[in-house]
Amino acid sequence: MKYTLIGLEGNQNVDLRTTAPMVVGRALTSDIPIADPTISRRHAEVSIVDGKVLIRDLGSSNGTFRNGQQITEASCHHGDAVTFGKVPFRLEVLAPAAVAHPTPVGPPPMPDHGMATPMGGSPTAQQPKMAGATIVKSLPADFRDLLAASLRSKEQEAIAASPNASAKDRDTSSTQERLTTLLDVSTELTKSITVDALLEKIVEKSWGIFPVDRVAILLGDESGDLHPKIAKDRKGNTLGTMVPQSIARAVYGGRQAIVSEDAGEDARFAGQSIVLQQVRSAMCAPLVGSEGRALGVIYVDCLFTRHRFTEDDLGFLIAFGGIAAVAIENSQFSERIRKEALTRSNFERFFTPGLAARIANNPDAVKLGGDKRTVSVLFSDIRGFTAMSETMNPSDMAKLLSEYFTEMVECVFRHGGTLDKFIGDAVMAQWGAPLAEVDDPDRAMRSAIDMMAELEQLNQRWKAEGRPTLSIGIGLNCGDAFAGNIGSERRLEYTVIGDTVNTASRLCGAAAPGEILLSEQFKAALKEPPKLKSHPPMELKGKSQPLPVYSVVL
């Protein structure tokens, strides 16, 4: 029996293996990595023993739960709610994959030559919903009927060309040849490649399917306008704008495929480009994606031969266009997922994973021009580090700083903050930009207290190892600041600037080792203030009047 964990608040689904236990944790090297601040680095272990799922908590900070009850170790069954920290999953038995068989439908009506032909059907595909999942879409539901219709004229040609062969042999050979061709094409086009590479492959395959001089693909944008993406002749030459717009617009707007025996004389198309290009026979079919959405058109023509295409050829183009549309939509979706993943990974360098996901899904949250935000700012700085670094070799100093910064950033992310930047041995963090919470000052305060506690644990370990210990001072302030992308065209950095930031930095500089200083404005914004001690007003650089200052009683 196979099991899977279904994520209830995200897109993470995990098939459980039976060969060895799987570790759940925040580390990227975990068997089941979960990027959430409530997840410990090694949070829990999931294993399958005698066909049952066994979940064991590994001493996590925020616990592991089965159906709402915290557990240390427990067996779980189909349908159980399993929560790691605050990230919920549901355990389900993984059913064997069903094999879908397309249901044939009646063939599309075939009108008289020279008239528009309705699209035989749109691809029956659902929009993929999960990054990292296998993206599979079905072929058009009427695929077999369209293909069968396209075979008729070719079968008749084969019979006429080989009168000595049996009708059965000729029928079987012709059917298998065209079916094999289209199925081979569908296999090639559904591979995961970029949209541009996919369009090249669609054109390449067209030469082996249709007796045409030119092939072009146009794709629509969000406003409904068509744009040429690729156009080539049989020699492989790249062409300019070759598709008659009157034909393309009619097909794209009406979602109807068109065949014209003599485009220059066809009363439906009055465009001068048809006459100037000496287009004779032409076919055009819509590229229809999921939910009947028109993606664009595929166009083929012959420049000097009239009556080159039949309605059966058009049916075959419709089937080919359906396959191409599915592949294009898949590739567009894959590219969008890759772009969002890259954007999110860049955000996660500075934002907590949960906040990074919200920003990635809401591009307007980070405006290029920036705006005014109410933020809570934290500065922490190592005391006497310059003198200490002069007595340490570079590798020891880098290792010490790396361990220190790792824990300090964890404290920021644990409370939903944003790592603004490292400034030498100082850390700058802020809460409130680009997305704010009502308790941002309290989050900043809890982060500062955690920093002091984490540093104490680090110092104990370093002292036991015979390594230097550190002490820090922290400054906190809140107020309005400019939040946005600052820098040059070559390098932009999202940050906050202004007097609020400068005051937090000055308070950090005035703090004694092991001290957290905060402004009166920050104190007033706290909903759950810790025990505080009042200090005489301090004179800070850039301030015309001394500022009331408080420190946290640790």
Side-chain angles (χ1 to χ4, degrees), residues 25-26 52 56 148 167 169 295 353 361 404 424 438 496 498 503 510:
R26 194 173 67 247
K52 297 181 179 179
R56 182 166 63 92
D169 290 342
L295 305 178
N361 294 328
Y404 164 75
V438 294
V496 293
T503 300

Side-chain angles (χ1 to χ4, degrees), residues 421-437:
K421 62 174 66 72
F422 297 120
I423 310 171
D425 59 310
V427 175
M428 174 184 169
Q430 56 90 5
W431 287 253
L435 300 176
E437 301 290 348

Side-chain angles (χ1 to χ4, degrees), residues 237-258:
N237 298 320
T238 299
L239 308 175
T241 305
M242 53 155 275
V243 180
Q245 290 298 307
S246 53
I247 295 179
R249 284 194 294 267
V251 171
Y252 183 64
R255 290 173 175 76
Q256 291 183 327
I258 287 176

Side-chain angles (χ1 to χ4, degrees), residues 431-487:
W431 287 253
L435 300 176
E437 301 290 348
V438 294
D439 60 341
D440 280 335
D442 292 274
R443 290 168 179 259
M445 174 57 76
R446 290 194 293 269
S447 179
I449 294 173
D450 278 4
M451 284 180 169
M452 289 297 185
E454 290 291 343
L455 181 59
E456 184 177 352
Q457 294 185 18
L458 281 174
N459 280 333
Q460 291 176 2
R461 177 162 62 84
W462 289 338
K463 186 176 181 180
E465 296 172 356
R467 300 165 64 189
T469 59
L470 301 178
S471 60
I472 62 174
I474 295 177
L476 293 165
N477 189 32
C478 68
D480 291 339
F482 172 86
N485 288 283
I486 305 298

Side-chain angles (χ1 to χ4, degrees), residues 141-317:
D142 55 0
F143 166 77
R144 291 184 177 181
D145 294 292
L146 291 171
L147 184 59
S150 71
L151 296 175
R152 289 195 294 271
S153 63
K154 298 302 179 183
E155 292 166 3
Q156 294 170 358
E157 292 175 7
I159 294 174
S162 305
N164 294 328
S166 69
K168 181 178 180 181
D169 290 342
R170 289 191 295 271
D171 178 80
T172 300
S173 176
S174 177
T175 300
Q176 289 180 343
E177 181 180 354
R178 292 208 99 181
L179 179 61
T180 299
T181 298
L182 199 55
L183 292 180
D184 286 346
V185 167
S186 69
T187 301
E188 287 292 321
L189 297 189
T190 51
K191 292 180 179 178
S192 179
I193 53 179
T194 65
V195 173
D196 290 341
L198 176 63
L199 298 183
E200 290 278 355
K201 191 169 286 293
I202 292 173
V203 171
E204 175 189 329
K205 294 297 181 182
S206 299
W207 304 126
I209 298 175
F210 304 106
V212 298
D213 295 323
R214 305 186 302 175
V215 180
I217 297 173
L218 293 81
L219 297 182
D221 59 19
E222 294 181 356
S223 62
D225 295 328
L226 279 173
H227 301 278
K229 293 299 181 181
I230 188 170
K232 290 190 174 184
D233 63 17
R234 185 169 284 275
K235 295 180 180 179
N237 298 320
T238 299
L239 308 175
T241 305
M242 53 155 275
V243 180
Q245 290 298 307
S246 53
I247 295 179
R249 284 194 294 267
V251 171
Y252 183 64
R255 290 173 175 76
Q256 291 183 327
I258 287 176
V259 61
S260 182
E261 297 176 337
D262 189 346
E265 300 296 329
D266 198 323
R268 294 173 298 172
F269 313 119
Q272 292 296 317
S273 60
I274 296 177
V275 177
L276 294 175
Q277 296 181 56
Q278 298 181 310
V279 176
R280 293 296 182 260
S281 301
M283 290 193 301
C284 190
L287 302 172
V288 181
S290 61
E291 301 178 356
R293 184 171 65 93
L295 305 178
V297 300
I298 180 170
Y299 170 90
V300 298
D301 67 20
C302 287
L303 295 179
F304 306 108
T305 306
R306 296 182 176 88
H307 306 286
R308 189 68 181 87
F309 306 125
T310 66
E311 295 291 348
D312 297 333
D313 291 321
L314 184 63
F316 195 72
L317 181 66

Side-chain angles (χ1 to χ4, degrees), residues 13-60:
N13 296 345
V14 182
D15 294 339
L16 303 183
R17 67 188 181 207
T18 58
T19 56
M22 302 176 71
V23 173
V24 178
R26 194 173 67 247
L28 294 177
T29 55
S30 301
D31 300 307
I32 306 176
I34 304 177
D36 187 273
T38 65
I39 303 297
S40 300
R41 287 189 179 86
R42 286 176 54 85
H43 193 101
E45 184 180 82
V46 182
S47 57
I48 298 179
V49 180
D50 297 330
K52 297 181 179 179
V53 177
L54 182 65
I55 297 181
R56 182 166 63 92
D57 189 83
L58 299 178
S60 65

Side-chain angles (χ1 to χ4, degrees), residues 479-497:
D480 291 339
F482 172 86
N485 288 283
I486 305 298
S488 67
E489 294 181 355
R490 295 178 63 87
R491 186 179 187 277
L492 289 174
E493 178 182 54
Y494 188 84
T495 188
V496 293
I497 59 175

Side-chain angles (χ1 to χ4, degrees), residues 377-381 423 426-429 473-476 501-502 504-506 508:
V377 183
L378 178 153
F379 274 87
S380 72
D381 187 35
I423 310 171
V427 175
M428 174 184 169
I474 295 177
L476 293 165
V501 179
N502 295 338
S505 177
R506 302 286 187 262
C508 176

